[in-house]
């Protein structure tokens, strides 16, 4: 009896976690990217030629949409390393350093902001302002899941309590 | 006997609810919006206190398990079970809230970096502890082996706490506690919100463990009553 109750409890906890995770996925995916000429996000891909010069790179924005950017000789860079030292240059001046810097950003999950026109990046800089207005859904999801899971757990304990009360009263009646 | 297990007028619950109200006001209205991450940074005020609850849980499991192995008293075993079950709820929420924060900030739900991996291991330790208790035949041997799992499981906690600084990967560095880096520590406003939220969630943790402990006690009482009932039937039959 105890084993069965414990198993059922473990399954309920696992079920609640799965439901909560699914909810988070569904709600979070409703956020949409803004279709303007400036986008912020994380570097997810860097392509270079045989000499190690940057050819193009891919960026994933806050809604998960991946965009690939081509470059021109005039593309400007303003990127910081982990220590905060800023490197300023252009694609025409040092394309291999640009590749190295973007790979470093990819490894550190450091966000950048890209200004672009017709798919060609005009500037690639540290994300200077990341208000992420479209991401309130994530905050709401965390809030909803947290309280839903706590309430589910309290309800689970309440139900367990009622079953125990019933069985104890029944047995006391038999014995007494 | 059992009708006061989930007491809605429990002083701990009332205090926790009041403090939670203050924390929610501070999280959503009082605290300034962080310039880099925007609104999603407020997830931190849920994630960190919940992670604290998850780690507190394994400490209680470990401490109670040591006391059980030493004293052999049932109350310590009950406290370990209660704390493990509440800990799995906090541990699951710690992972979920962290994943939801990571999606807009890192653009991934999950990455195999040190802090995340050790936190996932903590969740699995909780689950393993509860599964072991659910499937192993009841008795002193089960309680003894579960206590050993509980003690070993606590080894993961300091690794989680120091992981961000030890491996310096994607997870933000330690922002609270004795080894917090002063450059990365929270400002006074954000630190105050985090402190209030942590105290509120700590009291919620205590209330849930206390309630689960009482239910566990009732379960043990029920087993005793069943034994007594069987004995009286046998005596009657004899």
């Amino acid at each position: 009896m105890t084993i069965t109750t414990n198993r059922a409890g473990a399954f309920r906890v696992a079920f609640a976690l799965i439901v909560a995770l699914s909810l988070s996925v569904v709600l979070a995916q409703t956020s949409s990217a803004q279709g303007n000429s400036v986008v912020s996000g994380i570097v997810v891909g860097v392509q270079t030629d045989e000499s190690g010069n940057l050819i193009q790179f891919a960026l994933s924005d806050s809604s998960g949409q991946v965009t690939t950017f081509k470059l021109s000789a005039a593309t400007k860079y303003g990127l910081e390393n982990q220590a905060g030292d800023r490197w300023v240059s252009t694609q025409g001046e040092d394309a291999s350093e640009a590749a190295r810097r973007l790979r470093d950003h990819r490894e550190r999950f450091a966000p950048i902001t890209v200004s672009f026109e017709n798919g060609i990046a005009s500037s690639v800089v540290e994300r200077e302002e990341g208000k992420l207005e479209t991401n309130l859904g994530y905050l709401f999801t965390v809030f909803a899941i947290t309280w839903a899971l706590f309430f589910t757990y309290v309800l689970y304990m309440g139900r367990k309590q009622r079953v125990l009360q019933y069985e104890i009263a029944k047995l006391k009646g038999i014995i007494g | 006997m059992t009708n006061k297990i989930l007491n809605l007028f429990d002083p701990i619950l009332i205090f926790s609810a009041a403090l939670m109200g203050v924390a929610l006001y501070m999280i959503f209205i009082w605290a300034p919006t962080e310039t880099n991450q925007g609104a999603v940074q407020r997830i931190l005020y849920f994630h960190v206190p919940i992670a604290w609850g998850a780690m507190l849980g394994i400490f209680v499991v470990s401490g109670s398990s040591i006391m059980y192995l030493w004293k052999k008293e049932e109350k310590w075993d009950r406290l370990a079970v209660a704390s493990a079950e509440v800990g799995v709820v906090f541990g699951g929420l710690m992972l979920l809230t962290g994943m939801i924060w990571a999606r807009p900030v890192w653009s991934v739900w999950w990455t195999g970096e040190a802090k995340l991996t050790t936190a996932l291991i903590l969740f699995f330790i909780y689950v393993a502890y509860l599964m072991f208790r659910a499937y192993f035949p009841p008795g002193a041997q089960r309680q003894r082996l579960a206590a050993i799992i509980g003690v070993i499981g606590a080894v993961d906690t300091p690794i989680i706490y120091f992981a961000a600084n030890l491996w310096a990967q994607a997870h933000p560095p330690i922002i609270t506690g004795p080894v917090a880096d002063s450059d990365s520590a929270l400002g006074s406003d954000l630190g105050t919100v985090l402190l209030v939220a942590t105290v509120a969630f700590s009291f919620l943790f205590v209330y849930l463990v206390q309630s689960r402990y009482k239910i566990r006690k009732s379960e043990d009482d029920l087993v005793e009553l069943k034994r007594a009932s069987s004995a009286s039937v046998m005596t009657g039959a004899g």
Side-chain angles (χ1 to χ4, degrees):
Chain A
M1 172 66 195
T2 308
I3 294 173
T4 312
T5 310
N6 286 342
R7 277 181 189 170
F11 283 129
R12 280 192 196 114
V13 171
F15 178 71
L17 284 173
I18 290 164
V19 169
L21 183 59
S22 308
L23 184 67
S24 76
V25 173
V26 170
L27 285 177
Q29 284 180 344
T30 56
S31 301
S32 60
Q34 293 181 10
N36 55 25
S37 60
V38 177
V39 63
S40 292
I42 311 291
V43 180
V44 292
V46 176
Q47 190 181 354
T48 56
D49 60 16
E50 296 84 1
S51 313
N53 293 325
L54 183 64
I55 299 172
Q56 59 180 12
F57 67 94
L59 189 83
S60 174
D61 67 16
S62 57
S63 64
Q65 187 178 340
V66 177
T67 313
T68 302
F69 295 100
K70 296 190 183 308
L71 306 151
S72 72
T75 302
K76 294 175 186 168
Y77 296 102
L79 298 171
E80 294 174 5
N81 62 14
Q82 196 159 15
D85 297 328
R86 194 173 180 87
W87 170 74
V88 179
S89 188
T90 62
Q91 172 76 4
E93 284 175 3
D94 200 345
S96 60
E97 179 63 13
R100 202 184 66 74
R101 292 272 173 171
L102 286 177
R103 285 200 175 106
D104 174 58
H105 275 66
R106 184 182 59 186
E107 284 164 16
R108 290 190 290 121
F109 292 94
I112 59 170
T113 298
V114 179
S115 304
F116 63 97
E117 208 173 311
N118 300 324
I120 298 171
S122 54
S123 74
V124 181
V125 295
E126 293 290 320
R127 189 170 67 192
E128 290 168 346
E129 190 179 22
K131 284 185 180 174
L132 302 172
E133 293 88 347
T134 58
N135 286 323
L136 275 171
Y138 290 97
L139 184 60
F140 171 74
T141 307
V142 163
F143 186 79
I145 285 177
T146 300
W147 294 115
L149 204 54
F150 279 129
F151 275 113
T152 305
Y153 185 58
V154 170
L155 286 174
Y156 155 74
M157 284 204 289
R159 193 175 167 190
K160 203 163 193 169
Q161 174 193 342
R162 280 197 299 277
V163 171
L164 281 168
Q165 273 180 312
Y166 172 76
E167 291 204 20
I168 286 171
K170 196 172 81 177
L171 278 171
K172 277 186 174 173
I174 292 169
I175 296 168
Chain B
M1 181 169 59
T2 56
N3 59 352
K4 285 190 177 174
I5 288 174
L6 286 173
N7 182 9
L8 293 177
F9 298 102
D10 188 310
I12 296 173
L13 182 64
I14 291 171
F15 186 69
S16 173
L19 210 54
M20 201 68 81
V22 175
L24 289 176
Y25 169 79
M26 293 176 91
I27 290 169
F28 289 105
I29 298 168
W30 188 75
T33 304
E34 207 265 342
T35 49
N36 282 322
Q37 296 178 23
V40 286
Q41 183 269 340
R42 292 175 202 269
I43 291 174
L44 176 94
Y45 304 125
F46 290 92
H47 176 69
V48 174
I50 286 169
W52 156 250
M55 291 209 266
L56 184 64
I58 200 72
F59 268 127
V60 177
V61 171
S62 174
S64 309
S65 299
I66 290 169
M67 290 304 291
Y68 175 78
L69 290 170
W70 181 27
K71 299 276 187 183
K72 305 286 182 207
E73 290 173 356
E74 292 290 324
K75 64 179 180 181
W76 296 114
D77 184 62
R78 284 185 206 124
L79 183 59
V81 179
S83 184
E85 198 173 291
V86 176
V88 86
V89 174
F90 274 77
L93 274 172
M94 167 183 70
L95 295 173
L96 282 169
T97 54
M99 286 164 70
I100 297 168
W101 173 85
R103 185 70 184 103
V105 177
W106 291 346
S107 292
V108 291
W109 291 106
W110 187 264
T111 174
E113 70 106 66
K115 188 128 183 164
L116 278 65
T117 307
T118 48
L120 182 65
I121 289 169
L122 175 66
F123 180 73
F124 285 148
I125 288 168
Y126 274 130
V127 173
Y129 179 87
L130 291 174
M131 285 182 77
F132 175 80
R133 294 197 68 108
Y135 290 99
F136 202 84
Q141 195 184 3
R142 177 178 79 171
Q143 289 170 329
R144 201 165 48 249
L145 289 172
I148 291 167
I149 294 172
V151 173
I152 294 169
V155 173
D156 188 41
T157 310
I159 300 174
I160 298 173
Y161 181 71
F162 292 109
N165 287 15
L166 281 174
W167 284 277
Q169 292 177 315
H171 195 281
I174 299 170
I175 53 172
T176 56
V179 297
D181 181 1
S182 58
D183 290 339
S184 61
L186 291 174
S188 59
D189 285 354
L190 306 187
T192 305
V193 182
L194 196 57
L195 180 68
V196 172
T198 303
V199 174
F201 273 99
S202 298
F203 274 95
L204 180 63
F205 175 86
V206 171
Y207 171 74
L208 291 174
V209 170
Q210 176 190 268
S211 302
R212 186 64 186 89
Y213 178 92
K214 288 177 184 172
I215 287 178
R216 183 74 198 177
K217 173 83 171 60
S218 295
E219 285 170 346
D220 291 344
D221 290 344
L222 182 63
V223 171
E224 285 301 316
L225 276 171
K226 277 181 179 171
R227 279 189 194 139
S229 169
S230 302
S232 68
V233 170
M234 293 281 280
T235 311

